Amino acid sequence: MPMTDLPEPAWPTAPTPAAGGTPAVLPPPRWSPARLAYWFYTVAAAGAVIGQTWVAVTHIPWNSSLPTAARVAAVLPFALCLEMLAMALAAMADQRMRLGERAYGFRVFSTTVAAVAVGILIAGHWPHLYWSAGFGLLSAAAYLLWLLHAAARRRDALRATGKLADTAPDYGLWRRLRYPLSTARAAELARTGTHDPHGRWRPLGLHESLEAAQRAIRADKRRPAIAKAVEQVVRADQADPLMAEIAVRTIDMDRLAADLADQIDYTTWTARLAPAITALPAAQIEQRASWPKNGGSPAGSATGGDADRPDLAEDETSDSRQPPVDLMRQIPIQQEQYQTWQTVWADLSTHPDEPLDTIGARHRISRRQVERIRRAGEFGLLNWPIPPARLMASMLADGHLTGPPLTPGAQQPPPTTPDDAANGSTSRGGVPPMADNGGTPPT
């Protein structure tokens, strides 16, 4: 079938060299595969018109006195019109589709005319198989190639005007079969692209899009859980159910969850969780391995003196260092349990030479628990009226924590604020201040 030529998309232009200058047009490539399509259109159009004319001359009942040349001249315009009509309708459909329309009427009409033309060529030359297949294939192939060529040029034109997304990288068949969801998400993010620090848009590359897809998938799983927890907190803070519903519907839970995720102090969490995966010093491991498994005192401890105390690492016993993180994590947060620890520490301070097993039996706790309480007391972590974790959280919230939060071996009353001074209180959370009893906590 003959083709209706449409202009190829304009070649990209280089940036303007200076204000008022003319942009330099990049030269087109010396050879393009589209040139082969043009030659094929010409040959196929000529063959299809010859086939249509042959069928008309053969099957129309002409007067025997009419010469053959007159017959050909009579049917040639109609044969050419039949072949051109399908291509004209396809070109009009392509033009409307470039404007964003679907053009179903033009497309259906064009396909119908092309099917009739191919059917006439096949049926008109039957039963001669070669002529039927040859002319029919030429007409159908020319029409299909035109549709593919026009669709490719239409996509280029739409992409140049920003009406079509850019192409995604080639992720490979194996990756698409093995990771279909993440690969599809990566292709979507690659076409969406990003903006550089100068504000210029650019598509994402292969590895950039894959990494962005992994982060997006993790965020899609994490943010709903955070948003649900935030919703519960918001509802709990509102006594009125109607006000709670208004707050939940008004607050952007996804944005709030994203802001919370951005404010996480990963350094603090790493320091808190590090003891769980950090090996103990070799000397401490050997000493703990030598202890009896029945909870008795270490070897050589008959009276529960200095030998009764396990050797601590140098960084845990030095007064110039902060308390170990694992010890801070073991101190109770509940007020009643913390007061129990203070009671045991007062007993240890009053009877320093008494065996730990005896003190543990007196308070109905294990020897290991007594050792933890003694370590906490030696670092001065039981001299506070409220648990250190709650106290530090309150100090951080009020902005009073400017130096090291805890100093080992010294009584450290909580800071005094102007409001507390006006109310005659020097403690946090309504807890009365500790009496000056030489650092011994109340029992």
Side-chain angles (χ1 to χ4, degrees), residues 328-347:
M328 293 288 296
R329 189 174 62 235
Q330 294 170 357
I331 298 177
I333 300 178
Q334 292 77 10
Q335 185 67 29
E336 296 181 358
Q337 297 180 7
Y338 180 70
Q339 291 178 354
T340 302
W341 277 46
Q342 289 180 325
T343 303
V344 177
W345 170 239
D347 195 356

Side-chain angles (χ1 to χ4, degrees), residues 19-94:
T22 303
V25 179
L26 298 178
R30 295 183 179 180
W31 183 83
S32 174
R35 297 183 180 181
L36 294 178
Y38 296 145
W39 284 103
F40 178 78
Y41 289 146
T42 303
V43 175
V49 172
I50 292 173
Q52 293 287 350
T53 305
W54 190 348
V55 171
V57 171
T58 303
H59 290 80
I60 295 178
W62 301 96
N63 191 348
S64 58
S65 61
L66 189 64
T68 304
R71 299 178 184 181
V72 172
V75 300
L76 181 60
F78 297 98
L80 185 61
C81 179
L82 181 61
E83 293 292 332
M84 286 292 296
L85 179 58
M87 305 304 298
L89 292 173
M92 296 175 67
D94 179 73

Side-chain angles (χ1 to χ4, degrees), residues 83-234:
E83 293 292 332
M84 286 292 296
L85 179 58
M87 305 304 298
L89 292 173
M92 296 175 67
D94 179 73
Q95 182 182 15
R96 304 312 301 176
M97 293 173 67
R98 292 194 183 195
L99 299 177
E101 301 179 7
R102 295 290 86 192
Y104 290 115
F106 288 110
R107 294 159 66 183
V108 172
F109 194 9
S110 174
T111 304
T112 303
V113 173
V116 170
V118 174
I120 291 176
L121 289 173
I122 295 176
H125 292 281
W126 195 262
H128 302 287
L129 184 60
Y130 177 79
W131 298 117
S132 297
F135 287 116
L137 184 61
L138 280 177
S139 181
Y143 180 74
L144 294 178
L145 180 59
W146 158 255
L147 294 181
L148 295 176
H149 192 188
R153 293 185 296 178
R154 180 174 63 254
R155 289 193 299 270
D156 293 339
L158 293 177
R159 190 175 292 113
T161 58
K163 296 181 179 180
L164 187 66
D166 199 358
T167 57
D170 183 12
Y171 299 100
L173 180 61
W174 172 246
R175 189 190 301 275
R176 290 186 178 275
L177 293 178
R178 189 176 181 183
Y179 309 105
L181 297 180
S182 61
T183 306
R185 188 66 177 273
E188 178 184 356
L189 293 175
R191 288 189 294 266
T192 303
T194 184
H195 290 82
D196 58 13
H198 301 286
R200 293 189 296 267
W201 177 89
R202 66 174 182 86
L204 294 181
L206 174 63
H207 299 288
E208 283 183 315
S209 60
L210 291 174
E211 294 176 359
Q214 294 294 334
R215 293 193 298 268
I217 292 175
R218 288 195 298 266
D220 290 343
K221 295 180 180 179
R222 181 175 62 250
R223 288 183 180 178
I226 300 178
K228 184 177 180 181
V230 171
E231 179 180 353
Q232 294 177 356
V233 173
V234 172

Side-chain angles (χ1 to χ4, degrees), residues 309 312 317 319 345 373-382 408-410:
R309 301 182 181 184
L312 300 177
T317 58
D319 291 343
W345 170 239
I373 295 175
R374 184 175 62 184
R375 291 179 61 196
E378 290 174 348
F379 276 103
L381 300 177
L382 301 179

Side-chain angles (χ1 to χ4, degrees), residues 322 384 392 395-396 399-407 412 415:
Q322 295 296 323
W384 301 78
M392 292 173 61
M395 295 166 67
L396 286 171
H400 295 294
L401 186 57
T402 57
L406 296 172
T407 302
Q412 302 174 26

Side-chain angles (χ1 to χ4, degrees), residues 290-424:
S290 64
W291 292 359
K293 296 182 179 181
N294 56 4
S297 301
S301 176
T303 62
D306 293 338
D308 189 38
R309 301 182 181 184
D311 294 338
L312 300 177
E314 181 180 356
D315 60 345
E316 298 180 3
T317 58
S318 177
D319 291 343
S320 62
R321 297 178 181 269
Q322 295 296 323
V325 179
D326 58 342
L327 179 60
M328 293 288 296
R329 189 174 62 235
Q330 294 170 357
I331 298 177
I333 300 178
Q334 292 77 10
Q335 185 67 29
E336 296 181 358
Q337 297 180 7
Y338 180 70
Q339 291 178 354
T340 302
W341 277 46
Q342 289 180 325
T343 303
V344 177
W345 170 239
D347 195 356
L348 286 170
S349 302
T350 306
H351 309 89
D353 298 331
E354 193 169 358
L356 300 184
D357 293 333
T358 304
I359 296 178
R362 183 185 306 152
H363 296 277
R364 298 180 179 179
I365 58 177
S366 64
R367 173 191 173 87
R368 180 66 59 85
Q369 190 74 358
V370 176
E371 292 175 354
R372 294 174 180 172
I373 295 175
R374 184 175 62 184
R375 291 179 61 196
E378 290 174 348
F379 276 103
L381 300 177
L382 301 179
N383 296 338
W384 301 78
I386 61 176
R390 295 173 55 188
L391 181 60
M392 292 173 61
S394 178
M395 295 166 67
L396 286 171
D398 294 343
H400 295 294
L401 186 57
T402 57
L406 296 172
T407 302
Q411 178 180 348
Q412 302 174 26
T416 304
T417 63
D419 295 339
D420 294 336
N423 298 330

